[in-house]
Amino acid sequence: MTTARLRRTLVATAALTGSILALAAAGATPASAAIPSNNTTILLVHGFNASAPFGGHIDCRDATMTPWAQGLRDRGFTVRTVGWYASDTNCDLSVPGIADNTVNTSLDQVAREFTNLIANRFGTTPVAISAHSMGGLVVRRALHGVDDGHSGFSTNIRVTDVVTSGTPHGGASITAFCSNGVVSYVQCQQAAPGSSFLNALKHNPQTTGGTDWTLVGATCDPIVSGTSALAMTNGSAGPSVFKRTIPAPFGNPALCAAVAAFTHDDLVKSSTGLDIIATGLRTAS
């Protein structure tokens, strides 16, 4: 078999494996919080970006956000993108206080403002969340503050489902590049393995009525390891945390570099990644 043909075979097998995982997820239906209806707003919460403008910036119509949002709309969901950096552009919604937010703004503050956004915009109307990368830490800290009644967090909100994709629940060693003594962004420090921020985060935090959590990771993700992406436990009286891993081709991590394996952004913009998010939103975990 030629090298090119082997590569095509490995890529096809990896995609098929991911699809099988998504189908398997659809079959798991233990009792838990309410499943979002087509009218439930799905909030898309982006991750970290220190690119220009230097204080942090995401264009909510960029090459990752656009297929992520449109992919979920195509799957029947009502979607709103959320901005939380001051320089974010083209987002449907923004957290209050966004004008001060940069990569040096504590995720505690962003999380608090995120709960205020939900309260101000939706009140007690149920919403659900799809979060990517560091955005999942924002959401987890937000629901932690809600669950434990922390000061400044809007506690009278309802989030029925959260799906985090490639979120460094166990930290990401790549954060060393932006917390290295030359530059040292607060958000990178907080997402570093073993940080005080991560160690203090509540596992499986809940809102009124119960919150289903689905964690998604990929073995071949070069930014956040599959192990870190799944590093949140049941931890509370809420529904069990549902976990999905997109495996390496043929189950062999050594093949990650040999094929067009899942990238960090593919977790939210590829068909397989979007299918798993949709399944997580619709599955009682």
Side-chain angles (χ1 to χ4, degrees):
M1 183 181 291
T2 66
T3 300
R5 185 176 179 185
L6 174 60
R7 183 183 180 87
R8 289 195 299 271
T9 300
L10 291 172
V11 171
T13 300
L16 177 61
T17 302
S19 297
I20 291 171
L21 281 175
L23 290 173
T29 55
S32 64
I35 297 173
S37 70
N38 287 350
N39 294 324
T40 302
T41 299
I42 312 299
L43 302 177
L44 269 55
V45 183
H46 68 69
F48 174 85
N49 190 358
S51 63
F54 200 58
H57 168 71
I58 292 287
D59 180 351
C60 285
R61 296 180 186 169
D62 68 15
T64 296
M65 297 292 290
T66 294
W68 180 13
Q70 190 58 49
L72 290 181
R73 290 185 180 114
D74 290 344
R75 287 160 175 78
F77 295 100
T78 300
V79 173
R80 296 290 183 270
T81 55
V82 175
W84 49 272
Y85 283 132
S87 296
D88 282 353
T89 54
N90 297 314
C91 301
D92 298 318
L93 302 169
S94 297
V95 300
I98 191 173
D100 297 327
N101 291 347
T102 71
V103 291
N104 279 314
T105 300
S106 170
L107 295 176
D108 297 277
Q109 176 176 319
V110 177
R112 182 172 61 251
E113 293 173 351
F114 180 62
T115 69
N116 299 158
L117 167 65
I118 296 175
N120 295 342
R121 179 66 175 79
F122 300 98
T124 58
T125 300
V127 297
I129 298 168
S130 172
H132 182 224
S133 198
M134 190 179 284
L137 295 183
V138 171
V139 176
R140 183 176 167 191
R141 176 65 185 97
L143 268 61
H144 177 186
V146 170
D147 204 358
D148 286 4
H150 291 170
S151 177
F153 286 73
S154 294
T155 57
N156 193 26
I157 62 175
R158 186 173 182 192
V159 178
T160 62
D161 288 79
V162 177
V163 180
T164 65
S165 302
T167 289
H169 291 291
S173 58
I174 197 169
T175 55
F177 94 93
C178 56
S179 184
N180 57 21
V182 178
V183 292
S184 190
Y185 301 137
V186 168
Q187 291 172 2
C188 290
Q189 296 170 22
Q190 291 180 309
S195 72
S196 58
F197 173 83
L198 290 178
N199 288 339
L201 276 181
K202 188 169 189 174
H203 289 261
N204 198 16
Q206 300 288 300
T207 62
T208 300
T211 303
D212 281 330
W213 284 84
T214 299
L215 314 183
V216 186
T219 301
C220 293
D221 186 345
I223 304 298
V224 176
S225 71
T227 300
S228 177
L230 305 185
M232 185 177 78
T233 66
N234 289 342
S236 78
S240 297
V241 176
F242 195 56
K243 301 183 181 184
R244 278 285 167 243
T245 298
I246 298 170
F250 297 110
N252 185 354
L255 295 176
C256 286
V259 299
F262 256 68
T263 68
H264 190 57
D265 289 347
D266 283 333
L267 282 159
V268 295
K269 70 179 187 177
S270 69
S271 292
T272 299
L274 287 162
D275 284 345
I276 294 176
I277 293 170
T279 297
L281 290 171
R282 291 190 171 119
T283 300
S285 54

